[in-house]
Amino acid sequence: MMKVNYNRLWKLLIDKGMSKTQLREQTGVTTNTIAKMGKNENVSTEVICRICKALNCQITDMMELVEEDEEIFNVS
């Protein structure tokens, strides 16, 4: 089973000097959605697209799919 991992997004925010609050304000994403992403839970593709547009990045720049039993902190 595959699981989504958003560690790349958090690293991207650090690299851009942007906080989660700033991301939320720029995209209109709710705090609940940011919290879901913090727990590596699924969010809608609409949310993913809005974040990609705000950060001027591709989906693979902000998330990856990993095996469910794989170490979730592995960002490669």
Side-chain angles (χ1 to χ4, degrees), residues 3-11 13 20-21 23-24 29-44 47-48 51 62-63 72-73 75:
K3 182 174 181 166
V4 67
N5 181 307
Y6 295 102
N7 285 344
R8 291 179 179 184
L9 172 60
W10 312 133
K11 182 179 181 320
L13 288 180
K20 291 179 183 179
T21 300
L23 177 67
R24 186 178 54 76
V29 172
T30 66
T31 53
N32 185 45
T33 299
I34 297 292
K36 285 176 73 172
M37 295 175 82
K39 297 175 190 172
N40 290 320
E41 295 177 1
N42 294 325
V43 298
S44 74
V47 167
I48 299 299
I51 292 172
M62 60 174 275
M63 62 184 285
I72 62 168
F73 298 106
V75 178

Side-chain angles (χ1 to χ4, degrees), residues 47-71:
V47 167
I48 299 299
C49 290
R50 287 182 3 210
I51 292 172
C52 284
K53 183 176 180 182
L55 297 178
N56 192 30
C57 70
Q58 296 295 314
I59 291 172
T60 55
D61 295 331
M62 60 174 275
M63 62 184 285
E64 66 180 328
L65 293 176
V66 295
E67 292 291 335
E68 195 164 329
D69 60 345
E70 186 177 325
E71 177 64 41

